[in-house]
Amino acid sequence: MAPWWLAWLVLGAAGCVWLAQQRLQQLHDSFDTDARIAHRVLSQRMVQHEAILATLVLLQPESRATEPAPWSALTRPYPQVREVLRHDHGAPAWPAGWPPGMDAALAQSRASGHAVLAPSNLTGGQLYLVQAATPASFALRLDLRTTALADDWPLSPGSPVHAWLALDGQRYTIQGAAENAARWQWQSAKTLAATSQPLVLHMQQAVRAAMLPWGSMLGWLAGSAALLTALRQLLRQRVARRRAEQLLQLGQVARLNTLGELAAGMAHELNQPLTAVLASSQAAQRLLAEDAPDMPLLRQALAQVVAQARRASDVVTRLRRLVERPDAAMQSSAIDLPQAVIDALHLLEPQLSAHKVHLHPQFAPGLPAARADAVALQQILHNLLTNALQAMDTTPVGERQLWITLTHQGAQLLLTVRDSGPGIAPDMRPRLFTPFATGRDRGLGLGLTLSQSLAEAMGASLQLHDAGPGACFALRLPVHNTR
Amino acid sequence: MTAANADLSPLIHLVDDDDAVRNSLALLISTIGLRVQTWADPLAFSTQFDRQGIGAVVLDVRMPGIGGLALLAQLVEQGVDHPIVLLTGHGTVDMCRRAFKAGAAEFLEKPVDDELLLETLQAAVRQHVRARQQRQADRDAQQRFAELSPRERQVLALIVQGLSNKDMARVLELSPRTVEVHRANLFAKLQVPSLAHLVRRYASLAEMDAPPAA
């Protein structure tokens, strides 16, 4: 019992771990892909900002209070560009709303020749990028939210991924919320590939129990349990069958043993008088060969022969009485014959399929119960079927057939077992039921003898049936009388 | 059933508890002129039978009290030199092996054919006679050997070793003449007609004696 539970636990756990690992791996891969795409998209935007500034600086469009602004054609495809500011050289101040560090950034840009990001509060979601030039410098106000959440942003609005941008200790959350409680999480942090805007894109996703494939795991547990149960059932069936077969064979061996002991006892009991008979008669022969036979001695020898022959005969009579003891009768009961045949076939199932025997059972419907001893009947059936199987050893595989018929004939039930083997050799026929007569090399020649005496002991009969080709045996059993 | 022949003729002891078997076998054996003494009780037989006489013993294997195999072992242990033939109703290879190992002369199965039984018994008796003769000869030789003087025994040992008179004289520090005298005495005391007889009959005795001074 315990090993099966253990096997199920191990098998179930291994399957669940594998399934969970597959799912997590898949999710992790998709997280990695999203992070890579998000980084590429944002980096491209930042480079675009530099390109816009470079174009403005080159074209130097005038700042007019007309609508639309002269650069609107340039900035319209980029909704994240919220404001463009032309800053003429020497202009004293920046308009309200622009951060105080613009002058420092402008000076820095003038020194380096590149666009420079003015320090600002990142949490507000605005970036201020300036490019110094003459006669006028240009600056852009950029909206981070619009920058990120464009069509090509990889994360869906409901995604469990938390994404944010960080610069100089400040952070701007693009989507999702930070989850500090998560014990296990995937993370990615990459600096955007634009020298003027060195923001770091952070992405984080917590690994949650809900992500595991619970459905498949439960399915696997149930499936493996069902599989193991079926396997166990199969094994148990096989063991039961083997045990039943052994019991049957054991019964036969026990009978043979009793037979053997009987034979040994009989041999000793008979040997003594036979020894005396032989010795006395040979002594008589020798006395007769003499010229003048000693008549009294001769008479004595012959009297001895007669007495000892009688003694031997008494031994045989006593023995027969012993064997035919009435209390050794079998226990007759009502037997469902078709079921008994099916049981016997079930026992031999492995051999039948190993020999590739084609079965033809023909049971007449509505058969009455038979009167028989259940164990003896099983032994007879087993013997007949085994004989039939062994008779077909040399038969080509495709032609191995076994016909079993059950019919009702008056007060009797007739069971026939016919095989497609070579049949019984004519010289074997008269000796078929004689002990120790066998057609097989390894046979003991007791199977049919035993079967016949078992059949006769329970009021049945076993005969060779002339219904060739192949050997056919007929077992006639009395119908069980219900009264 | 003792035949009234001379006491010196061979006697077969037949031991079997079955009256009919015993009587018919005794009758059969007597038809070839061998004397038979029958015993129904194996223990009475083992204590009372004449161990000096010439003959053989036939034992049934299956007897009450003591089995034939056990009785065989007991007799052999007591130094009984009669050939012992075992008779059994159902002999197995194992039983047969044990019987021969214990010293049985033959192992026969019941019912036994007359030719086989009688031949076996005659052969057994012949073997017993030969063995007794051999024993007698050995005993005589020992007696004569015991009458030799120490010097004569030395000379005998050297003869058995194959030394010539000259060599013996040197080894024993005697004159060849003296050695010649001892040698003649030796032949006379041991009653042997030739050197070959001497060596064949007395070599083993001479070698069992104290090792020669060489």
Side-chain angles (χ1 to χ4, degrees):
Chain A
M1 204 66 184
W4 286 100
W5 279 106
L6 219 64
W8 178 64
L9 271 178
V10 169
L11 195 68
C16 286
V17 166
W18 187 80
L19 283 170
Q21 222 168 17
Q22 288 296 310
R23 173 65 61 89
L24 288 179
Q25 187 62 47
Q26 192 186 337
L27 288 174
H28 191 197
D29 285 351
S30 112
F31 171 82
D32 276 349
T33 310
D34 286 351
R36 226 168 26 244
I37 293 172
H39 176 259
R40 181 166 48 78
V41 165
L42 281 176
S43 297
Q44 276 172 1
R45 296 276 201 294
M46 296 309 171
V47 171
Q48 279 167 4
H49 301 154
E50 288 178 8
I52 292 168
L53 274 180
T55 312
L56 287 169
V57 163
L58 198 67
L59 297 177
Q60 293 284 330
E62 288 297 322
S63 172
R64 271 174 288 170
T66 57
E67 279 300 325
W71 45 71
S72 60
L74 188 62
T75 58
R76 197 175 299 119
Y78 308 104
Q80 73 268 32
V81 179
R82 289 301 163 87
E83 198 180 341
V84 177
L85 189 71
R86 181 189 161 103
H87 185 77
D88 288 304
H89 190 61
W94 296 78
W98 290 74
M102 289 305 290
D103 280 327
L106 188 63
Q108 215 179 322
S109 171
R110 200 172 296 285
S112 69
H114 300 300
V116 169
L117 205 58
S120 67
N121 190 1
L122 202 61
T123 43
Q126 307 290 314
L127 283 183
Y128 301 91
L129 193 62
V130 63
Q131 168 76 63
T134 39
S137 304
F138 282 84
L140 298 178
R141 181 164 65 85
L142 303 160
D143 183 61
L144 279 175
R145 176 153 224 88
T146 324
T147 308
L149 301 180
D151 284 347
D152 47 3
W153 182 246
L155 300 176
S156 62
S159 165
V161 177
H162 175 216
W164 75 92
L165 287 164
L167 183 68
D168 300 333
Q170 299 180 59
R171 55 193 283 172
Y172 171 74
T173 298
I174 300 170
Q175 74 174 101
E179 287 185 85
N180 297 324
R183 188 171 293 175
W184 186 18
Q185 54 194 17
W186 298 319
Q187 276 184 326
S188 147
K190 280 186 207 160
T191 307
L192 298 182
T195 42
S196 62
Q197 302 143 88
L199 293 102
V200 180
L201 172 64
H202 286 275
M203 289 179 83
Q204 185 188 65
Q205 184 175 9
V207 179
R208 310 191 148 279
M211 289 159 74
L212 296 177
W214 292 109
S216 333
M217 277 153 69
L218 279 177
W220 167 251
L221 285 179
S224 56
L227 194 79
L228 284 177
T229 310
L231 195 69
R232 186 171 157 213
Q233 204 60 34
L234 200 76
L235 280 177
R236 197 183 277 175
Q237 241 172 28
R238 268 184 55 185
V239 168
R241 187 186 345 231
R242 203 173 306 144
R243 190 169 303 154
E245 212 171 329
Q246 281 167 351
L247 277 179
L248 206 59
Q249 280 167 357
L250 214 66
Q252 285 181 345
V253 170
R255 278 179 204 277
L256 286 180
N257 273 349
T258 319
L259 215 73
E261 271 163 40
L262 210 66
M266 190 166 76
H268 176 76
E269 287 287 305
L270 285 177
N271 245 335
Q272 296 293 90
L274 284 179
T275 306
V277 166
L278 187 64
S280 298
S281 49
Q282 283 178 331
Q285 274 178 334
R286 286 175 175 273
L287 289 170
L288 278 172
E290 285 169 14
D291 290 339
D294 183 338
M295 290 315 277
L297 215 51
L298 198 54
R299 225 169 263 130
Q300 188 192 333
L302 287 177
Q304 187 92 262
V305 170
V306 171
Q308 292 307 306
R310 286 224 172 90
R311 177 180 167 193
S313 156
D314 285 350
V315 169
V316 172
T317 309
R318 209 166 60 232
L319 200 81
R320 189 177 292 148
R321 223 173 282 139
L322 197 76
V323 173
E324 289 166 357
R325 234 176 20 204
D327 58 279
M330 306 193 188
Q331 307 228 318
S332 286
S333 58
I335 301 283
D336 179 5
L337 210 47
Q339 189 56 48
V341 172
I342 288 166
D343 286 349
L345 285 173
H346 176 71
L347 273 184
L348 283 168
E349 223 289 309
Q351 286 95 309
L352 285 168
S353 50
H355 282 73
K356 300 199 167 46
V357 173
H358 199 319
L359 274 179
H360 304 276
Q362 292 163 4
F363 301 165
L367 287 173
R371 181 161 52 79
D373 176 86
V375 178
L377 179 63
Q378 271 304 315
Q379 287 189 348
I380 295 173
L381 290 176
H382 194 264
N383 258 329
L384 289 181
L385 293 173
T386 313
N387 277 352
L389 267 179
Q390 285 167 346
M392 292 189 284
D393 270 348
T394 52
T395 310
V397 169
E399 296 166 22
R400 293 177 182 171
Q401 322 246 27
L402 192 55
W403 291 269
I404 302 168
T405 69
L406 272 180
T407 46
H408 185 188
Q409 292 186 343
Q412 283 185 326
L413 289 164
L414 174 66
L415 169 105
T416 67
V417 176
R418 182 156 73 87
D419 60 59
S420 61
I424 309 291
D427 63 317
M428 254 317 273
R429 280 168 185 253
R431 300 182 291 133
L432 201 54
F433 293 99
T434 320
F436 308 111
T438 177
R440 289 197 302 273
D441 292 342
R442 286 191 309 118
L444 196 57
L446 281 175
L448 278 175
T449 314
L450 198 65
S451 295
Q452 194 179 43
S453 54
L454 284 174
E456 279 166 5
M458 61 185 186
S461 71
L462 178 64
Q463 285 151 350
L464 180 66
H465 211 54
D466 272 323
C472 180
F473 286 90
L475 178 68
R476 285 188 171 80
L477 291 151
V479 169
H480 185 71
N481 206 334
T482 43
R483 276 166 302 165
Chain B
M1 263 203 110
T2 312
N5 290 355
D7 279 1
L8 287 174
S9 72
L11 179 63
I12 306 294
H13 297 276
L14 179 60
V15 189
D16 195 315
D17 62 303
D18 190 307
D19 294 345
V21 173
R22 199 169 61 240
N23 291 339
S24 19
L25 285 178
L27 179 62
L28 182 61
I29 294 167
S30 69
T31 59
I32 55 160
L34 281 170
R35 291 192 304 143
V36 184
Q37 186 172 8
T38 57
W39 303 82
D41 179 6
L43 291 173
F45 158 74
S46 76
T47 50
Q48 295 167 19
F49 88 106
D50 174 21
R51 301 185 179 211
Q52 303 307 318
I54 292 285
V57 178
V58 178
L59 287 181
D60 185 27
V61 168
R62 198 157 160 169
M63 285 184 296
I66 183 166
L69 276 172
L71 185 54
L72 165 71
Q74 197 176 308
L75 293 175
V76 168
E77 198 186 48
Q78 290 169 1
V80 170
D81 63 348
H82 288 67
I84 297 169
V85 176
L86 282 177
L87 266 185
T88 179
H90 48 287
T92 60
V93 175
D94 180 58
M95 190 192 282
C96 183
R97 192 179 51 78
R98 269 169 35 215
F100 281 117
K101 220 171 160 185
E106 194 52 81
F107 186 87
L108 300 176
E109 267 195 279
K110 283 184 192 173
V112 58
D113 204 61
D114 58 346
E115 297 282 346
L116 181 61
L117 176 68
L118 301 177
E119 264 171 37
T120 302
L121 289 179
Q122 280 167 336
V125 167
R126 276 198 301 275
Q127 184 202 329
H128 196 211
V129 169
R130 248 201 324 275
R132 281 280 169 94
Q133 282 171 348
Q134 183 63 45
R135 280 243 310 254
Q136 192 54 50
D138 287 351
R139 240 196 318 268
D140 292 349
Q142 240 158 356
Q143 230 159 21
R144 290 183 200 118
F145 183 77
E147 286 166 14
L148 297 183
S149 71
R151 182 59 89 191
E152 282 162 356
R153 286 187 198 188
Q154 276 181 327
V155 171
L156 173 61
L158 293 176
I159 291 173
V160 168
Q161 281 180 19
L163 267 67
S164 66
N165 283 0
K166 228 172 172 179
D167 291 336
M168 277 189 269
R170 204 175 54 247
V171 169
L172 299 174
E173 292 171 348
L174 297 169
S175 71
R177 175 86 194 127
T178 318
V179 170
E180 190 63 50
V181 171
H182 283 311
R183 191 180 169 117
N185 287 343
L186 208 57
F187 273 68
K189 279 186 176 175
L190 296 180
Q191 302 175 11
V192 283
S194 70
L195 180 64
H197 278 91
L198 177 85
V199 172
R200 200 177 67 202
R201 206 167 292 166
Y202 294 95
S204 56
L205 283 172
E207 275 160 10
M208 275 193 299
D209 203 45

